[in-house]
Amino acid sequence: MNSYTIINQTELQRVSDGMTRPLLENCGTASHILILVWPQLGDFDSLEYAWWLQRETKKLPEEKLAIRAVGIGDRNSGTRFCEYTGFPPEKLFVEPHAELHHKLQLYSGLNFSLPGLSPSVKAWLNLMLMCAGIGSPGTLREVFRGYKGDRQAPQLIQDDEIIQGTPLPAFPGSFFRFAGGGGFQRPFELATLRLRNMVEVLSNWHIYVPNSTYLTQRGGTFLFDHKGQLIYEYRDPGILGFAANMSQPLSFLSVIDN
């Protein structure tokens, strides 16, 4: 089966009301459908992807683009995720055992094992190796980009924004002007957003990750037209690799006529 057929036949629990509903319900009137199959809802990639969506997709009304996301976790995970990121809970579905990911043949992550390891410990071992770039191409490069800045990426934090939720005292976004000006991603800017995400997840770990078996599972992006024809597809190769162009993760949406 192709990806649209698989997705069209999928029913999952919706975060907003806890009901199990078709993933594509109420998408029929949109000219395009964006399906986001995310890793764990406590994963860096899921949180960062949701941040970009909140920032960029306001330009595309529902009749232009219907968005549905699936993340690994349970309804509690999804509720916390939406509260933190602002992602609409009626557009988020949860998949506790990564079954949709497997049907779509998304990368399950590094699969190194040692005798006697439980599935959970094995997942943690492989996650640590992937964070070091093993079985996760581009991860270290993307980590360094978060610290050194990126002139091909937009400014991420506004000058009047107050940065909170990190181990540092609250400080204004204008602080980043001292690292190189404005109008582009400054040094440490993206790393600060990621640090804030990390503090949020570690402070609520068992909510975000009720089952650590699927820690290494990666996600994918699928854009369809109203007839179900695949317009764009991207399959995550590793951690912090949720887009083909990480400087502009949603640049693929330019195919939609604004």
Side-chain angles (χ1 to χ4, degrees):
M1 291 188 290
N2 62 34
S3 55
Y4 182 82
T5 301
I6 294 170
I7 290 168
N8 192 39
Q9 294 178 357
T10 296
E11 296 188 3
L12 294 169
Q13 186 181 39
R14 187 166 53 201
V15 170
S16 59
D17 54 15
M19 296 180 64
T20 298
R21 304 301 303 165
L23 183 55
L24 297 186
E25 185 175 63
N26 300 323
C27 291
T29 60
S31 62
H32 291 79
I33 303 170
L34 176 61
I35 301 297
L36 308 166
V37 185
W38 284 332
Q40 290 275 356
L41 287 173
D43 192 284
F44 275 131
D45 294 34
S46 305
L47 294 162
E48 199 166 312
Y49 209 140
W51 184 90
W52 278 101
L53 287 166
Q54 292 301 95
R55 172 190 171 104
E56 300 293 332
T57 57
K58 296 174 184 176
K59 309 166 189 174
L60 293 166
E62 188 76 17
E63 61 268 19
K64 290 269 189 178
L65 182 67
I67 300 173
R68 299 293 182 268
V70 177
I72 300 173
D74 57 22
R75 191 182 177 203
N76 288 334
S77 311
T79 299
R80 181 75 195 190
F81 181 90
C82 292
E83 290 172 350
Y84 175 68
T85 64
F87 190 81
E90 67 275 10
K91 298 181 180 181
L92 179 61
F93 293 74
V94 287
E95 170 65 277
H97 304 298
E99 292 179 7
L100 179 59
H101 301 68
H102 298 156
K103 289 177 182 177
L104 292 169
Q105 298 182 333
L106 298 174
Y107 180 40
S108 61
L110 191 65
N111 194 34
F112 176 74
S113 187
L114 292 171
L117 292 184
S118 68
S120 177
V121 173
K122 175 185 173 182
W124 270 107
L125 171 63
N126 283 290
L127 179 68
M128 294 300 101
L129 292 173
M130 290 178 71
C131 288
I134 300 171
S136 187
T139 295
L140 293 181
R141 179 177 66 248
E142 182 57 25
V143 170
F144 293 140
R145 188 179 73 88
Y147 288 101
K148 72 179 183 180
D150 181 356
R151 289 189 172 271
Q152 304 306 311
Q155 181 173 322
L156 305 181
I157 298 173
Q158 300 306 310
D159 289 353
D160 58 355
E161 186 175 345
I162 302 300
I163 307 304
Q164 303 180 74
T166 75
L168 303 172
F171 62 92
S174 57
F175 171 83
F176 290 101
R177 285 196 167 274
F178 295 107
F184 64 94
Q185 180 191 307
R186 286 77 58 88
F188 296 100
E189 194 174 12
L190 180 56
T192 299
L193 294 178
R194 288 172 174 168
L195 177 61
R196 186 167 63 187
N197 288 342
M198 183 177 71
V199 170
E200 163 67 15
V201 171
L202 292 180
S203 299
N204 301 280
W205 179 257
H206 292 295
I207 297 176
Y208 278 107
V209 186
N211 184 349
S212 58
T213 301
Y214 309 102
L215 284 174
T216 61
Q217 177 67 55
R218 298 296 93 201
T221 297
F222 302 87
L223 180 65
F224 304 98
D225 68 14
H226 69 284
K227 297 180 180 179
Q229 296 297 312
L230 183 65
I231 303 299
Y232 175 84
E233 174 184 290
Y234 181 78
R235 295 166 178 267
D236 307 356
I239 296 171
L240 294 179
F242 61 83
N245 178 3
M246 288 296 290
S247 298
Q248 301 274 357
L250 300 181
S251 58
F252 67 91
L253 291 178
S254 63
V255 300
I256 300 176
D257 181 14
N258 291 320

